[in-house]
Every structure is written in structure tokens, then in C-alpha cells.
Amino acid sequence: MAVDYAVIVVYLAGMLAMGWWGMRRAKSKSEFLVAGRRLGPWMYSGTMAAIVLGGASTIGGVGLGYQYGLSGAWMVFTIGLGLLALSVFFSARIARLKVYTVSEMLDLRYGGRAGLISGVVMWAYTLMLAVTSTIAYATIFDVLFDINRTVAIILGGAIVVAYSTLGGMWSITLTDMVQFVVKTIGVLLLLLPIAVIKAGGFSEMKAKLPTEYFDPLGIGGETIFTYVLIYTFGMLIGQDIWQRVFTARTDRTARWGGTVAGTYCLVYALAGAVIGTAAKVMYPKLPSADSAFATIVKDELPVGVRGLVLAAALAAVMSTSSGALIACATVANNDIWSKLRGAVSRGRGDEHDEVKGNRVFILIMGVAVIVIAIALNNVVEALTVAYNLLVGGLLVPILGGLLWRRGTAAGALAAVAVGGVAVIGLMATYGILANEPVYYGLLASLAVYVIVSLATKPTDAAVLIAWRERLAGKGADSDETAPETVTV
């Protein structure tokens, strides 16, 4: 394992070096939180694909393939569909707003009265997303070094917190670009063909497995529908995703770069399912489907290649974890703390102090994430709660604000409150992993949004005029424009 260890150590050292480089570049709030809003299409595509394809998409995607066959691709496939929908229909408008958070968008659209409560919901979602990604370090480091779960979480989490705190979005962007390349080589170009060959090829796989393993809908129609509702719609409104859209140099970059990233996700989804199906042929009686990835890597790959593929898995986890961490800290500082302390409006403070403040919040949130990850056992339930709250509470007011002129602040606040409470209550009734909470919570949120909006006074005309100007790319703060451009 010495060669494999060397590959991993070099990779982790590179992540920290990029954090140091990013610290020298992030001199303003815009640079620190959204990489100066100047990423070109290649870098934007790579980093967007990196953040959405995390440990759940890699380790979990292979596990679903092991359990259900090719239809196990649906979870990651719906993530790709969501990214495509966001990129084609909404990303250009989102990029032109020149904001930092989803809650700022809601304040602009509804007149400054929806941000705090939506910020709390979004903060809870990003916190749980960061926690579940951090827990995944334990699986990878266990395979690598056979170390204690707590030590593995601290080790992986400390590295992510370090480079994220140092350079903010610039460090995360650079590391995500490396992680995208490593994932592509490790999973698509190495693990996928090796797994298929070791399993005897597709003909042997078909001969040894039940026919339902090759049924595209074998996982079940209701499961697929739930995936679409949670992950496809979740991609449309998550702070971690929007914060990457904010990094695009132009709205065209956001649209076409995101489309490329979404298409890559669809390929990645199928690859994970095929690898899992091959693992089922080689190891038909594993104790857990989620152990399929680690088992096939540990037992079937040659020295060196094994280290690279494990680095790919580590890259997948780190990219999602760092993206969720900076999103969590951004929301906590800009949408919650600044409003609770009555901070002056965005853009009027000292830029150095703003960078320092956001850096402190990343460090605080990072430590909290590591502590919660150590204490938490059920990752699936935590992630389900996060996505149920996100979709049930925020989907309607966000999309309603973008698509329906008649939506009002009162309708938005009612939708967030009723949708969130309904989801929590229904999870207590039906169970956290049941499908009904997000179904009925979303319907309740939609009904309340429409009824309250129609029953209350329309949004002030001046607010809507300012909103349309921002959608057209006008009226943004002067600090958003940077003299140099990253064109890759």
C-alpha cells in the first residue's frame, strides 16, 4: 500500500497548497465568496460537476447499482437533470442578480422581508449536507489506513476546513478543478472498465444476474418520482449550487457551462450503476451495498491505480463538503448573523473586514460540522431531513419569485413556514424516510403561497422595477466588477 499512500498524501498536500494560493488571491468579499464572479466555461463546468457529485453520488451511486442494477443510476441521474434544468432555464437570470445567497434573491424579489426565515432553513440544509459529506471520510480513510472513525472524520474535515478558510471560493474552485480531473480519471477511465472486465464483460454480467438488474425502471416508479422531487428540484434552489452559479463570468458561461456539467453527471450516474452491477457479480453477498465501492477498489485494482481511485473517491467527498461548508458559512454570516446584529447593508463595510468575518464563520461552521459528524450515526436520515426541509420549505417561494409576478412577501413567508412545519410534522407521523412528507409538504407550501399572495396586496411596483433591473444585469454593487478574468 506504500504507493497508494504516496498518491493520497501528494493529493492532500496539493489541496492545502491550493488553499494557501487562494488566500493570496481572495482580497475582497466578492473574491472570497464567489471567486470574483469571473470563472470561464471550462473551470466553471469542472467545479460545478465536482460539487454536485459527492460521496453519495460516488460511493452511494455504486451501492445503488449493487442493489438494483442499472436502475440504481436514477439518484445521480436526477441530480444531473436538476443541474441541466437550472442551467438552461434559470442560471442566466441567477447570475445577473449579482447576489451572494438565495435569501438575498428573496429579499430583492419580495422587498426585504423574506430573507431571515429562509436563511435559517437554508443554513440547516447546508449544515446537514456538509455533515453527511464529512462522515464519508470515515469510509475512505478506513480503507486506506484502517484508522478509527473519529480520527478519520477529524483528519479529512480538518483539511477541508483549512483550505476553505484560507482562500474561500478561490481555494475551493482550484481544488474542485483538480478533484474533477481526478474523479474523471479514477472513476470513469480506470474503475469503470476494470470493473466490467473483472466481472467478465456485459454478457457474463447478464448471465449471472436477474433480468431486473438490467431494467431501467427496476428501482421503482415511486422511488424515481421521489428522487426527481428531492434531487432535481433540490438542485434548482440549493445555496451550495447557486453560489457556484454566482462565480460565472457571464450568464452565457453559467448556461452553457452548467449544461456541460449536467451532461457529465448523467454519464457519471450510469458509470456508478455499471460499477455496482459488476461488483454484484464478483461479490454477491456483501453485508452492505455501500461497501461495494471500497471492496472492489481494495480487492481488484493494482497498486497505484488503487490509490488514484481512492483519491477520486476522496475528491468526490471533499468537493461536496467544501462547497456545502462555504455555503453554510455564507448563509450564517450574511443572512442570519448580519441581520440579527443589525449590520449595515451589503457592500458598505470594509472589504478586508468582510473577508475576515467570512473566514471566521467558515472556521466556526467547519468545527461545528466535524463535531456533529462525529456524534451523528444515521447519515441517510440527516440528509433526508435536510432535503425535505429545503424542497418543502423553499422551492415554491423561490421558483414563484422567479416565475410569478403576483407572488408576495406574505405568500413567500407563509409558504416557507407552512411547508417547513408540514414536512417536520409529516416526518414525525410517517417516518423520516417516508415519501409522504415531501409530497404533502410541497403541496401545502404551494397552496398557501398562491392563496396568501392573491389575498394580500401586490408587491410594491418600485420593488418589482428594481427586481427586473437586477434580472437584466443592472444595479449591482460596484465591487462585483473585477479587472481581470479567468477564461479557462
Side-chain angles (χ1 to χ4, degrees):
M1 292 285 288
V3 176
D4 297 325
Y5 291 160
V7 171
I8 299 297
V9 169
V10 169
Y11 168 75
L12 294 176
M15 297 300 100
L16 292 174
M18 289 179 187
W20 182 261
W21 186 91
M23 181 179 67
R24 300 176 61 188
R25 195 176 184 99
K27 301 298 184 182
S28 69
K29 178 180 180 180
S30 177
E31 294 281 352
F32 190 82
L33 294 182
V34 290
R37 306 190 195 276
R38 47 196 171 99
L39 297 190
W42 168 239
M43 186 170 283
Y44 178 86
S45 298
T47 57
M48 181 62 86
I51 187 175
V52 300
L53 296 173
S57 300
T58 304
I59 299 170
V62 171
L64 287 172
Y66 182 89
Q67 189 173 357
Y68 298 104
L70 298 185
S71 67
W74 273 106
M75 185 188 76
V76 183
F77 201 83
T78 55
I79 291 174
L81 292 178
L83 186 52
L84 285 172
L86 174 71
S87 302
V88 172
F89 298 113
F90 300 107
S91 63
R93 280 181 281 180
I94 292 170
R96 287 195 293 265
L97 289 174
K98 303 296 184 185
V99 295
Y100 292 102
T101 68
V102 175
S103 296
E104 284 184 41
M105 167 263 168
L106 292 172
D107 277 346
L108 281 172
R109 170 59 181 82
Y110 295 113
R113 290 181 290 166
L116 181 59
I117 185 172
S118 64
V120 172
V121 175
M122 189 64 76
W123 173 78
Y125 157 73
T126 53
L127 179 69
M128 284 298 99
L129 185 62
V131 167
T132 54
S133 301
T134 302
I135 291 173
Y137 297 134
T139 301
I140 299 169
F141 282 114
D142 177 59
V143 175
L144 281 171
F145 307 119
D146 192 26
I147 58 178
N148 178 269
R149 175 184 183 273
T150 299
V151 175
I153 290 173
I154 293 174
L155 176 61
I159 293 171
V160 169
V161 171
Y163 73 69
S164 300
T165 301
L166 287 172
M169 187 58 82
W170 267 123
S171 296
I172 293 170
T173 296
L174 293 171
T175 54
D176 277 359
M177 214 39 221
V178 174
Q179 289 159 356
F180 169 73
V181 173
V182 171
K183 278 193 288 192
T184 301
I185 296 173
V187 176
L188 297 185
L189 302 184
L190 292 176
L191 183 58
L192 175 61
I194 290 173
V196 173
I197 292 171
K198 292 282 188 178
F202 286 104
S203 58
E204 187 70 14
M205 290 163 63
K206 286 185 177 181
K208 290 187 175 181
L209 294 174
T211 56
E212 54 263 29
Y213 264 73
F214 302 92
D215 179 359
L217 304 178
I219 199 170
E222 184 178 354
T223 298
I224 294 171
F225 179 73
T226 303
Y227 283 160
V228 170
L229 204 58
I230 293 178
Y231 296 115
T232 300
F233 285 112
M235 287 295 107
L236 298 180
I237 58 175
Q239 170 68 24
D240 51 326
I241 309 302
W242 276 43
Q243 199 156 345
R244 293 311 174 95
V245 176
F246 300 150
T247 66
R249 184 179 72 224
T250 64
D251 53 13
R252 182 180 176 85
T253 297
R255 180 184 294 113
W256 292 109
T259 301
V260 171
T263 304
Y264 178 90
C265 291
L266 303 184
V267 175
Y268 200 89
L270 184 58
V274 171
I275 293 168
T277 305
K280 184 67 175 180
V281 173
M282 290 182 278
Y283 310 99
K285 295 182 179 181
L286 289 177
S288 169
D290 284 340
S291 66
F293 179 90
T295 302
I296 195 171
V297 169
K298 193 173 184 179
D299 294 349
E300 302 297 336
L301 299 186
V303 173
V305 173
R306 179 172 50 204
L308 185 58
V309 172
L310 287 171
L314 194 58
V317 174
M318 281 187 160
S319 58
T320 300
S321 180
S322 59
L325 176 59
I326 193 172
C328 178
T330 302
V331 171
N333 187 20
N334 292 269
D335 293 336
I336 300 176
W337 174 244
S338 64
K339 291 182 179 180
L340 291 176
R341 70 188 176 107
V344 295
S345 61
R346 177 172 57 86
R348 294 183 183 176
D350 179 75
E351 282 294 315
H352 177 73
D353 289 343
E354 293 228 32
V355 171
K356 181 180 179 180
N358 281 290
R359 187 172 277 135
V360 168
F361 264 86
I362 290 179
L363 181 59
I364 294 172
M365 291 297 105
V367 172
V369 164
I370 292 173
V371 172
I372 296 171
I374 292 171
L376 197 63
N377 289 320
N378 198 317
V379 180
V380 176
E381 289 192 358
L383 194 59
T384 301
V385 170
Y387 269 101
N388 282 353
L389 282 173
L390 176 70
V391 174
L394 292 181
L395 179 66
V396 170
I398 292 172
L399 294 188
L402 290 169
L403 301 174
W404 192 37
R405 177 187 174 92
R406 187 60 180 81
T408 66
L413 287 170
V416 174
V418 171
V421 171
V423 164
I424 293 172
L426 290 166
M427 283 191 292
T429 302
Y430 288 98
I432 291 177
L433 299 180
N435 295 327
E436 288 84 358
V438 72
Y439 293 170
Y440 300 141
L442 188 56
L443 287 175
S445 179
L446 176 60
V448 169
Y449 179 73
V450 172
I451 292 170
V452 174
S453 291
L454 292 176
T456 52
K457 184 180 177 180
T459 304
D460 186 84
V463 172
L464 290 177
I465 290 172
W467 166 252
R468 287 195 294 270
E469 287 181 350
R470 290 295 286 269
L471 283 177
K474 302 175 184 177
D477 293 344
S478 59
D479 72 307
E480 306 298 347
T481 305
E484 54 179 310
T485 300
V486 177
T487 58
V488 292

